[in-house]
Amino acid sequence: MTASTDRRGAALAVLCAMALMIVLDSTIVAVAIPDIQRDLGFSEAGVAWVVNGYLISFAGLLLLSGRLGDLIGAWRVFLAGLVVFTLASTLCGFAPTAGLLVAGRFLQGAGGALAGAVVIGMIVRLYPTPGAQARAMGIYSFVQAGGAAAGFVLGGILTEAAGWTWIFLINVPVGVLVAIFALRTLPREPAPGLGRGLDVAGAALITAGLSAGVYAIVQTTWPLGLVAVLLIAAFVLRQSRATEPLIPLRLLARPWLLLVNATVVLVFATGMGFQFLNALYVQRVMGFDALGTGLAFLPTPIVIGLVSLFVAPRVTARFGPRPVLAAGLTLLLGGLLLLGQTPSAYATGMLPALIVMGLGVGITVPPIIMLAMAFTASSDTGLVSGLTNTAQQAGGALGLAVLAATAAAVSGPNPTVDALRTGYGVAFHVDAAFVLGALLLTLLALPSAHPDEVSNYLLNA
């Protein structure tokens, strides 16, 4: 991808702005759920669909969206997703009923999948050299990790000051501005087109399988999980026979790609689980309100921003992504073990743990995304980008489901504050086990997956 430094920077800003809209939408809603439930008359079970509807359509369409980017051009798919996401945000903001809000959330997820699936691949093509790519991924990772944490802050402020509808309506003017700049700055590379062939049956199978899998995780509906496994197995069989497969099996046969994405699943299970648990902990155990919860999280995105923008790119370029990833995971493990002590005071107990978590996330996310996209041919960047995004969403859903179930099981029905404290403490330690798994994969499995390729990559970094 050839572009001037200024044009590349402008394109990166556009891609990161859309990524920020998407990631904010995954957390900003959490703080406003009680207000949404009260105003639109949701039941206790029904209000979960405000979150689940977005997650299911987003995760289910990522792989298909990534492949469409390879076939018809990533910039086209990005713009289509941006338009759908912005229109859906308008529907959500003005939804007069619970049903229309859920429909809007499904549509938002679809738009987010179209745009989000191609972002990482477009950044990789904009910045192909390891040093520049490390800096670009540092910016992108700050947006991803810092934006997710900042969503709690912004959600609390908007809900308290202007009402929950503005957590959706704020996307509309931002989406219009991003679209204007996207049309001016995004490179428009040639693409083979749909004439090359799109495996429609395979697309239907993987979309249904991933959607069912995420629903099974977030609702802990394990029989549907079996259905999801069968659909995905049918998809793999279909790919072995299709003339133009949606996912060439040569990609699925690469140990490196599979191991890195398994690590991505564990890393994002950790991150989403931490945010979910900590938001509940500071509200239900420490007694913070919605705005206070958001402000309590503020140190984490600040530290993530400083580290991912100024520290992670430099150490990754110097030492290579795998050692830096291991260091970041070690910090994450330490932060979660501190939270597992269930601090009572914010300044002396919670704050140090949040700072360590911010350091860990800021160092971990840039190298794991770089490793996930390493050694990818330009014709497959959209697909591999979609695969990595799918791993992120699957990990987030897995973390939320497992940790919520753990905390609830330990706390028991109608729990006291002390019982809640115990339940969240155990769940924080389970979250630490996710980190430990990712660290073991990084130290023991990744070096042997493609040793020659890894060695060459680190030397070129």
Side-chain angles (χ1 to χ4, degrees):
M1 186 176 283
T2 59
S4 68
T5 302
D6 289 344
R7 190 175 181 85
R8 285 198 308 174
L12 178 63
V14 166
L15 295 173
C16 286
M18 185 65 219
L20 180 61
M21 291 172 67
I22 293 170
V23 74
L24 277 175
D25 215 67
S26 68
T27 57
I28 196 172
V29 176
V31 178
I33 286 294
D35 288 24
I36 293 173
Q37 181 177 8
R38 182 190 65 244
D39 289 353
L40 294 184
F42 275 102
S43 65
E44 288 292 333
V47 76
W49 282 100
V50 177
V51 175
N52 293 345
Y54 180 86
L55 287 176
I56 290 167
S57 59
F58 187 93
L61 290 169
L62 279 168
L63 280 180
L64 174 59
S65 300
R67 195 55 176 167
L68 283 173
D70 291 332
L71 292 176
I72 66 174
W75 67 277
R76 290 189 179 92
V77 175
F78 178 88
L79 284 170
L82 174 57
V83 169
V84 171
F85 187 89
T86 304
L87 291 175
S89 297
T90 307
L91 173 60
C92 290
F94 289 111
T97 65
L100 279 177
L101 178 59
V102 170
R105 291 290 283 166
F106 269 97
L107 195 59
Q108 260 193 322
L114 285 166
V118 298
V119 166
I120 297 175
M122 294 178 79
I123 293 174
V124 167
R125 290 196 297 273
L126 276 168
Y127 297 91
T129 59
Q133 190 179 115
R135 290 188 291 273
M137 284 300 175
I139 295 171
Y140 170 78
S141 300
F142 160 63
V143 168
Q144 285 285 96
F152 289 102
V153 181
L154 187 58
I157 292 172
L158 285 175
T159 301
E160 292 284 340
W164 64 264
T165 58
W166 279 97
I167 66 175
F168 301 113
L169 294 178
I170 195 172
N171 290 326
V172 179
V174 176
V176 172
L177 285 174
V178 172
I180 292 170
F181 284 102
L183 289 169
R184 294 168 59 91
T185 63
L186 292 185
R188 304 184 182 188
E189 293 181 320
L194 291 176
R196 176 177 164 180
L198 178 65
D199 180 17
V200 177
L205 284 170
I206 193 61
T207 300
L210 290 173
S211 297
V214 171
Y215 179 77
I217 292 172
V218 298
Q219 294 291 99
T220 60
T221 307
W222 303 123
L224 186 59
L226 177 59
V227 173
V229 170
L230 293 175
L231 287 169
I232 293 172
F235 166 76
V236 173
L237 179 63
R238 167 70 186 176
Q239 299 312 283
S240 68
R241 298 179 178 180
T243 305
E244 291 289 343
L246 186 68
I247 301 179
L249 291 185
R250 57 182 168 77
L251 290 179
L252 297 181
R254 293 173 58 191
W256 173 263
L257 185 64
L258 298 180
L259 285 169
V260 170
N261 277 286
T263 309
V264 169
V265 168
L266 292 172
V267 167
F268 279 81
T270 300
M272 288 299 293
F274 151 69
Q275 292 175 25
F276 169 77
L277 285 178
N278 213 44
L280 292 177
Y281 185 85
V282 298
Q283 289 187 68
R284 302 182 70 184
V285 175
M286 301 182 76
F288 286 46
D289 60 14
L291 182 58
T293 299
L295 294 176
F297 266 90
L298 195 56
T300 302
I302 290 174
V303 174
I304 290 171
L306 293 173
V307 172
S308 59
L309 290 176
F310 302 111
V311 179
R314 294 178 182 177
V315 295
T316 302
R318 179 169 182 177
F319 299 107
R322 194 178 67 83
V324 176
L325 173 60
L329 290 171
T330 302
L331 285 167
L332 277 178
L333 183 60
L336 284 167
L337 292 177
L338 286 174
L339 287 172
Q341 302 304 307
T342 59
S344 299
Y346 179 79
T348 58
M350 178 69 69
L351 183 59
L354 292 178
I355 291 173
V356 174
M357 289 296 296
L359 290 169
V361 173
I363 292 175
T364 296
V365 176
I368 191 63
I369 299 299
M370 289 182 69
L371 288 170
M373 295 301 297
F375 325 122
T376 300
S378 59
S379 60
D380 294 326
T381 53
L383 179 58
V384 176
S385 175
L387 180 63
T388 302
N389 274 290
T390 302
Q392 293 177 28
Q393 294 303 310
L398 177 66
L400 288 173
V402 170
L403 297 176
T406 299
V410 175
S411 299
N414 303 314
T416 63
V417 172
D418 286 340
L420 286 170
R421 185 187 301 274
T422 301
Y424 291 133
V426 172
F428 280 128
H429 283 99
V430 173
D431 206 18
F434 288 142
V435 183
L436 183 60
L439 183 59
L440 291 175
L441 279 176
T442 301
L443 294 175
L444 303 178
L446 289 184
S448 62
H450 274 300
D452 293 335
E453 288 181 334
V454 176
S455 176
N456 291 334
Y457 185 80
L458 296 183
L459 285 173
N460 290 331

